[in-house]
């Protein structure tokens, strides 16, 4: 009797296959491209009652919770493709500069692919969760005493002198992968939203999302395009001011970027869609961060809350009431998980004091006394 070797993998025929398999015909892969995936994508599009009410009676606001990706941010969409293509090109190492999330994604996907990864991060200005990820996935981490923009310049010089693949979003495969976020939104809504709100740092994501919407329209999956609205932090708003910011400052370290690589892509997206890039203050970012956690039950990292801060800012200025009569659909991208930056959560609440193990002390402290 011959024993048939059983497949080690459980059949997952109905399971989500990751963004490359889900959108293969829209992406630059061939039948022989090795696919390195952690089954990223298919993130929740969550209705927000509080934000819908804040915008107006005919508004429907949805949160695209990209923090639910395998490494906790939208970067996984681009990284699955960038790493797959690096393996296809027989690369043995990848390199990125990062404010944190790119380094987390690069090191995880590189680990899975058996590639070495090197990450340059601005020393002291990356959230602890992200740093832990890069380290635990085995990346060579170089904390540089400089900001992200200087780290990116160093990274570009390093790849010129060594046979290493750069996996920052100037790698076009990153943009290709990240456009799948727009596809998913359209697939879920059956149409493009009227307004698309997103945080902007290096501006790769808004560039990718706009590309995604335009491709979906070309393929007649949707028949209109959203207005693209991007938000930078006030102290790191080069696109808003039309000038490089030498010393960008914001509590939202993910978007602490003074010279975005995809600057032109962001301008194209907002000009073609009649949208805008605007600034929101750290106070507005933190207000939105708390609102999301307190009223929607959604924990997003501070940079992510910039999209919601931007939505509230525009709503206050009457942006929506002065425009449309019919139903308005809004999507806010929440780019990363709140657990990435536990320090920010702890700093923005009052830490409760330790209590003696007595019923009266505990009851009193929790408001049941
Ligand atoms: C949570 O990880 O640039 O405008 O090096 O982590 O495409 O840069 C992160 C950016 C928004 C901005 N939200 O996206 C990096 C990095 C979060 C982010 C952005 C980032 P882009």
């Amino acid at each position: 009797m011959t024993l048939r070797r059983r497949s080690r993998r459980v059949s997952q025929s109905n399971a989500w296959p990751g963004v490359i398999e889900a959108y293969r015909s829209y992406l630059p892969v061939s039948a022989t491209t090795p696919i390195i995936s952690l089954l990223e994508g298919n993130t929740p599009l969550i209705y927000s009652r509080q934000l819908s009410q804040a915008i107006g009676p005919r508004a429907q606001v949805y949160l695209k919770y990209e923090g639910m990706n395998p490494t906790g941010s939208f970067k996984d969409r681009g990284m699955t493709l960038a790493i797959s293509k690096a393996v296809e090109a027989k690369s043995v190492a990848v390199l990125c500069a990062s404010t944190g999330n790119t380094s987390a994604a690069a090191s995880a996907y590189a680990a899975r692919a058996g590639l070495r990864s090197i990450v340059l991060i601005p020393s002291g200005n990356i959230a602890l969760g992200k740093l832990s990820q890069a380290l635990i996935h085995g990346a060579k981490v170089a904390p540089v005493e400089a900001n992200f923009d200087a780290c990116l310049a160093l990274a570009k010089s390093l790849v010129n002198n060594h046979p290493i693949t750069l996996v920052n979003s100037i790698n076009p495969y990153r943009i290709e992968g990240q456009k799948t976020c727009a596809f998913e939104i359209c697939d879920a809504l059956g149409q493009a939203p009227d307004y698309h709100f997103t945080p902007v740092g290096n501006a790769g994501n808004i560039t990718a999302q706009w590309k995604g919407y335009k491709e979906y329209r070309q393929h007649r999956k949707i028949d209109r395009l959203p207005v693209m609205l991007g938000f930078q932090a006030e102290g790191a708003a080069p696109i808003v001011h039309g000038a490089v910011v030498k010393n960008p400052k914001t509590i939202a370290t993910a978007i602490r970027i003074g010279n975005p690589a995809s600057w032109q892509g962001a301008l194209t997206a907002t000009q073609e869609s009649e949208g805008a890039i605007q600034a929101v203050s750290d106070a507005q970012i933190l207000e939105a961060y708390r609102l999301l956690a307190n009223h929607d039950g959604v924990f997003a990292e501070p940079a992510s809350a910039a999209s919601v801060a931007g939505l509230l800012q525009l709503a206050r200025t009457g942006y929506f009431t002065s425009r449309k009569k019919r139903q308005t659909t809004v999507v806010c991208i929440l780019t990363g998980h709140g657990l990435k930056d536990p320090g920010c959560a702890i700093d923005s609440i009052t830490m409760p004091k330790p209590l003696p193990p007595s019923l009266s002390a505990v009851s009193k402290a929790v408001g049941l006394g």
Side-chain angles (χ1 to χ4, degrees):
M1 194 175 90
T2 49
L3 282 175
R4 267 182 52 208
R5 239 184 106 219
R6 278 220 258 141
S7 165
R8 293 206 334 266
R9 291 188 198 174
V10 180
S11 164
Q12 295 189 355
S13 55
N14 292 321
W16 175 256
V19 297
I20 296 181
E21 293 301 354
Y23 296 108
R24 183 173 262 278
S25 65
Y26 295 88
L27 297 171
V29 288
S30 73
T32 56
T33 308
I35 306 302
I36 310 299
S37 172
L38 287 163
L39 309 185
E40 59 294 310
N42 195 27
T43 55
L45 188 68
I46 305 169
Y47 177 71
S48 169
R49 198 175 52 190
Q50 61 142 347
L51 292 173
S52 302
Q53 283 169 354
I55 303 318
R58 283 177 298 274
Q60 289 199 313
V61 179
Y62 294 91
L63 307 167
K64 180 67 169 163
Y65 193 17
E66 289 286 275
M68 291 302 284
N69 275 300
T71 79
S73 87
F74 71 95
K75 303 286 183 183
D76 295 346
R77 296 180 183 278
M79 207 54 77
T80 181
L81 195 62
I83 298 290
S84 297
K85 296 302 280 189
V87 173
E88 185 175 37
K90 309 255 185 289
S91 186
V92 295
V94 296
L95 168 74
C96 68
S98 179
T99 59
N101 280 325
T102 298
S103 70
S107 45
Y109 283 80
R112 191 164 178 82
L115 301 182
R116 287 196 298 136
S117 60
I118 305 169
V119 306
L120 310 187
I121 52 167
S123 171
N125 276 299
I126 121 164
L128 220 48
K130 304 172 189 181
L131 180 59
S132 341
Q133 287 178 288
L135 293 168
I136 200 73
H137 290 303
K140 258 280 185 269
V141 176
V144 182
E145 290 171 329
N147 63 28
F148 168 81
D149 305 290
C151 290
L152 184 57
L154 285 169
K156 286 183 192 167
S157 304
L158 283 171
V159 293
N160 280 338
N161 301 319
H162 300 276
I164 303 176
T165 303
L166 187 67
V167 292
N168 277 102
S169 58
I170 43 183
N171 176 327
Y173 298 124
R174 285 277 314 281
I175 303 290
E176 288 300 307
Q178 281 172 213
K179 73 189 181 189
T180 59
C181 180
F183 297 166
E184 286 180 17
I185 292 167
C186 298
D187 289 346
L189 296 175
Q191 182 57 275
D194 296 298
Y195 301 96
H196 176 106
F197 283 74
T198 195
V200 173
N202 219 16
N205 211 23
I206 192 168
T207 302
Q209 291 158 348
W210 182 236
K211 189 168 196 287
Y213 284 121
K214 288 204 296 188
E215 288 182 13
Y216 244 29
R217 193 179 60 169
Q218 273 161 16
H219 286 87
R220 299 183 193 286
K221 290 276 200 175
I222 53 175
D223 58 22
R224 56 185 160 88
L225 294 169
V227 175
M228 300 294 287
L229 295 152
F231 294 87
Q232 300 194 297
E234 206 169 71
I239 303 177
V240 177
H241 302 306
V244 169
V245 175
K246 283 237 165 60
N247 294 309
K249 287 195 179 67
T250 170
I251 188 167
T253 51
I255 52 172
R256 190 171 172 271
I257 294 175
N259 188 13
S262 297
W263 192 316
Q264 188 51 50
L267 290 181
T268 302
T270 51
Q271 283 161 5
E272 289 182 353
S273 72
E274 296 178 25
I277 306 284
Q278 293 192 355
V280 285
S281 68
D282 279 4
Q284 286 174 285
I285 288 174
L286 285 175
E287 180 202 0
Y289 171 76
R290 285 194 213 98
L291 273 179
L292 284 168
N294 279 323
H295 298 295
D296 286 310
V298 174
F299 191 21
E301 69 169 281
S304 302
S307 59
V308 172
L311 172 66
L312 295 171
Q313 173 164 286
L314 287 191
R316 273 197 290 268
T317 60
Y319 182 82
F320 297 102
T321 44
S322 61
R323 289 184 165 229
K324 294 214 168 102
K325 290 262 166 6
R326 65 176 176 85
Q327 183 107 12
T328 300
T329 308
V330 175
V331 170
C332 292
I333 310 295
L334 300 181
T335 42
H337 203 289
L339 288 171
K340 290 273 191 174
D341 193 350
C344 183
I346 289 162
D347 289 346
S348 61
I349 46 122
T350 318
M351 196 63 167
K353 289 200 178 70
L355 301 164
S358 90
L359 193 56
S360 67
V362 172
S363 305
K364 197 165 158 237
V366 299
L368 298 173

